[in-house]
Amino acid sequence: MKTRDKILLSSLELFNERGERNITTNHIAAHLAISPGNLYYHFRNKSDIIYEIFLEYEKLVDFYLDIPEDRPITLEDLTFYLESVFDGLWSYRFFHRDLEYLLDSDRRLRQDYREFTNRCLVAISRIFEKLADAGIIQPQPEELRSAMSLNVWLVITNWMAFLKTAHALEESTSLTLTELKQGIYQVLTLEIPYLTADYREQVMALREKYRPCLPESADA
């Protein structure tokens, strides 16, 4: 692996484990047993590292949301989309923990993230459209489909923050991938009013697999 790739991989690991704000370029260099000068040869600063990591995350999500146009969509496809998106959230979880701060710190990142969000909303809307074509949900007018897509995006991107507050976690590393994927339950809940009779039972069974286990205090 090239030094540049090692820097990105180690930075992602450290950011996820300890939080981006707690990690400096010196920490990254020490973790890799390289000199700070070697790191700066590849990246001018930490912001450049974060930006490159985001570009990798962006490509990953774009790949996951590549919707087939030559065949009907299936529940297996829907499950893959949801599992994959939440896997991506987990692999790049530092980014969504400090999203507002990171976007405020880098104009390039702010602009690219806005475009990334818009592409994701278009993809989610297309998924709803294809689900309707497949008879899994009822057809929706474009305005409602856009609103539903935004609601799904809000659940996905804010589920981690909710878990952190609901569980009153002191350390973000206490969060598990299983807990994060329980957000799929919430996404599928949004679809319940629009499910067709033929698929309602299947979707409800799929949804139940991700039922969140929240603290008793949160339930109360």
Side-chain angles (χ1 to χ4, degrees):
M1 186 182 295
K2 296 180 180 179
T3 300
R4 185 180 187 278
D5 295 329
K6 289 180 180 179
I7 292 171
L8 291 175
L9 188 61
S10 294
S11 298
L12 177 59
E13 178 184 348
L14 292 172
F15 293 160
N16 280 339
E17 290 181 354
R18 305 182 197 175
E20 177 272 333
R21 299 195 205 191
N22 298 319
I23 297 298
T24 66
T25 50
N26 285 340
H27 289 131
I28 299 167
H31 183 75
L32 286 168
I34 64 175
S35 69
N38 195 354
L39 185 146
Y40 290 128
Y41 174 79
H42 297 279
F43 298 97
R44 295 176 302 170
N45 49 45
K46 191 171 72 167
S47 291
D48 281 355
I49 295 175
I50 293 169
Y51 182 70
E52 288 296 325
I53 289 175
F54 167 72
L55 293 181
E56 292 299 316
Y57 172 58
E58 186 179 32
K59 287 190 292 186
L60 181 68
V61 176
D62 286 342
F63 172 76
Y64 286 153
L65 295 181
D66 183 19
I67 303 163
E69 297 295 340
D70 59 344
R71 63 173 177 81
I73 202 172
T74 65
L75 282 183
E76 288 74 19
D77 291 322
L78 178 60
T79 304
F80 171 79
Y81 296 142
L82 292 170
E83 285 271 353
S84 298
V85 167
F86 277 90
D87 278 334
L89 280 177
W90 176 257
S91 297
Y92 295 84
R93 55 192 178 277
F94 86 91
F95 188 76
H96 286 278
R97 285 201 304 255
D98 292 316
L99 180 59
E100 186 175 353
Y101 168 78
L102 293 173
L103 297 186
D104 284 342
S105 303
D106 190 330
R107 179 178 297 179
R108 297 171 304 170
L109 190 58
R110 185 164 62 249
Q111 176 63 33
D112 282 11
Y113 186 79
R114 184 182 299 116
E115 295 173 0
F116 167 69
T117 296
N118 289 335
R119 287 202 311 278
C120 288
L121 290 174
V122 169
I124 295 169
S125 179
R126 182 59 180 147
I127 289 172
F128 277 129
E129 191 175 7
K130 294 278 285 184
L131 287 171
D133 291 342
I136 297 173
I137 63 173
Q138 300 165 7
Q140 303 166 339
E142 184 177 352
E143 183 177 357
L144 176 57
R145 196 165 60 245
S146 295
M148 286 287 293
S149 301
L150 178 57
N151 287 343
V152 167
W153 179 253
L154 291 174
V155 169
I156 291 172
T157 56
N158 288 282
W159 180 245
M160 188 182 306
F162 171 77
L163 284 179
K164 188 174 181 181
T165 55
H167 289 253
L169 300 177
E170 296 181 1
E171 297 294 337
S172 56
T173 51
S174 298
L175 180 68
T176 66
L177 177 57
T178 298
E179 289 175 317
L180 185 63
K181 284 191 175 183
Q182 289 169 355
I184 295 175
Y185 179 94
Q186 308 301 325
V187 173
L188 293 175
T189 297
L190 294 173
E191 299 178 11
I192 289 177
Y194 310 102
L195 294 174
T196 62
D198 290 342
Y199 282 90
R200 182 180 178 84
E201 185 176 341
Q202 296 178 58
V203 174
M204 295 299 284
L206 174 63
R207 171 176 171 265
E208 194 61 29
K209 293 179 181 179
Y210 301 98
R211 177 178 289 274
C213 299
L214 299 178
E216 291 184 5
S217 58
D219 292 338

